[in-house]
Amino acid sequence: MDPLLRVEDIHKRYGTEEVLRGVSFHLDPGQTKVVIGPSGTGKSTLLRCINRLTEPDRGQVWLEDVEVTAPRARINEIRSQIGFVFQDFNLFTHLTALDNVRLGLIKVKHLGKKEATARAMKELTRVGLKDKADAYPAHLSGGQQQRVSIARALAMEPKLILFDEPTSALDPELIGEVLGVMVQLAEDGMTMIVVTHEMGFARSVADEIVFMEHGVIVEQGPPEKLFRSPEVARTGEFLSKLSELYGAEG
Ligand SMILES: Nc1ncnc2c1ncn2[C@@H]1O[C@H](COP(=O)(O)OP(=O)(O)OP(=O)(O)O)[C@@H](O)[C@H]1O
Ligand SMILES: [Mg+2]
């Protein structure tokens, strides 16, 4: 099977700080990769380089046979195939849940209003928010806002969704409802990269965990392998610290 995504030797520097120092990995269709690592290690920068919200200095990103990093890549079209879910939801506050989900369908995909509405309602239903279609973000809980943001990503029928700490701005009692939607997506065969500290989720859903530090991948592999017998001592150390803080039974 050909990988859906190939990230090859990505470098990114801000001033004198080398934030990404050669990051490479592949992602197969239907796979979920969880990215972990200390703060400031380049996790968000890596996700942003994948759809060029941040321009990498060096290296290549391929989505199937399309080079995302090619100078003449049709980046808007590519971005419509790569969903992005942000820590702080990034919803338009002056638009209802339905309009937030529908906007890209109308503006980017040029669907008619009726078709856009039908697809948006389908995705709002999928994340359990059919009844909140007419609510504005201010009247939704953080967990509900994040589910709207996931519905917005799904509505575009992306090949891949990138999640940057989707639950870390949420009160503990709201984290489960968002993780529940993500578990379902993984089971439905969505391809995802998820930056998260939620070790229970990582253990049960990730095909692979990627541990990053100081702008490089220290180690990557299936959760059982990384938790039970990591090859680098630092990986085990970091995982046990995370598990202590964020819980992962077993
Ligand atoms: N636009 C920018 N301009 C300058 N420096 C930046 C910019 N974005 C990120 N950085 C720096 O790059 C480094 C990596 O940041 P990044 O946000 O990718 O880390 P992270 O692993 O996502 O951290 P966290 O876990 O705190 O979210 C940090 O030192 C950060 O200050
Ligand atoms: Mg980050």
Side-chain angles (χ1 to χ4, degrees):
M1 188 183 347
D2 287 336
L4 180 82
L5 180 77
R6 287 182 286 143
V7 171
E8 307 283 2
D9 201 30
I10 291 292
H11 287 71
K12 180 68 188 177
R13 158 196 297 276
Y14 286 115
T16 56
E17 191 188 352
E18 269 198 281
V19 175
L20 296 175
R21 300 187 293 138
V23 174
S24 305
F25 65 85
H26 290 187
L27 186 63
D28 289 334
Q31 259 200 331
T32 296
K33 262 195 212 285
V34 163
V35 180
I36 60 170
S39 182
T41 257
K43 305 181 298 294
S44 297
T45 305
L46 174 63
L47 287 194
R48 297 172 62 87
C49 282
I50 290 173
N51 69 353
R52 287 173 59 192
L53 287 174
T54 292
E55 287 290 347
D57 298 331
R58 221 168 92 195
Q60 298 181 326
V61 176
W62 293 80
L63 185 66
E64 295 174 329
D65 54 358
V66 173
E67 191 196 341
V68 179
T69 40
R72 306 180 64 173
R74 295 154 69 148
I75 194 63
N76 288 330
E77 191 181 316
I78 293 168
R79 281 193 192 130
S80 76
Q81 300 173 353
I82 305 179
F84 207 117
V85 174
F86 300 86
Q87 179 174 1
D88 58 0
F89 327 135
N90 254 14
L91 296 175
F92 288 110
T93 54
H94 66 289
L95 296 180
T96 62
L98 176 60
D99 282 329
N100 267 286
V101 178
R102 210 163 42 174
L103 189 65
L105 295 173
I106 293 170
K107 296 272 182 211
V108 180
K109 296 248 178 195
H110 307 293
L111 295 192
K113 194 165 179 187
K114 201 169 155 199
E115 202 185 335
T117 304
R119 200 191 285 177
M121 284 309 298
K122 183 181 126 213
E123 298 306 345
L124 282 169
T125 305
R126 180 164 167 184
V127 301
L129 291 175
K130 188 172 161 219
D131 298 341
K132 296 289 183 184
D134 295 325
Y136 287 88
H139 297 155
L140 297 172
S141 73
Q144 290 169 336
Q145 289 183 59
Q146 191 60 297
R147 285 188 283 146
V148 172
S149 142
I150 294 172
R152 175 177 60 182
L154 287 170
M156 300 296 281
E157 298 181 322
K159 293 182 170 163
L160 162 72
I161 305 184
L162 310 174
F163 294 82
D164 193 358
E165 301 207 36
T167 60
S168 54
L170 301 177
D171 291 336
E173 69 269 24
L174 302 179
I175 289 175
E177 66 189 51
V178 172
L179 291 180
V181 167
M182 294 169 63
V183 169
Q184 191 58 52
L185 285 183
E187 282 172 7
D188 292 348
M190 180 53 76
T191 311
M192 320 199 279
I193 303 178
V194 186
V195 176
T196 185
H197 302 307
E198 294 296 330
M199 286 300 101
F201 174 83
R203 269 194 112 112
S204 58
V205 178
D207 297 292
E208 285 199 326
I209 295 180
V210 175
F211 170 48
M212 281 182 69
E213 190 162 45
H214 306 309
V216 293
I217 293 178
V218 176
E219 185 166 357
Q220 57 183 322
E224 322 81 72
K225 169 86 172 61
L226 257 67
F227 275 95
R228 287 193 206 290
S229 51
E231 278 170 21
V232 183
R234 179 69 187 131
T235 306
E237 207 179 286
F238 188 78
L239 275 172
S240 33
K241 196 167 94 187
L242 271 194
S243 302
E244 220 171 87
L245 289 169
Y246 298 94
E249 54 293 330

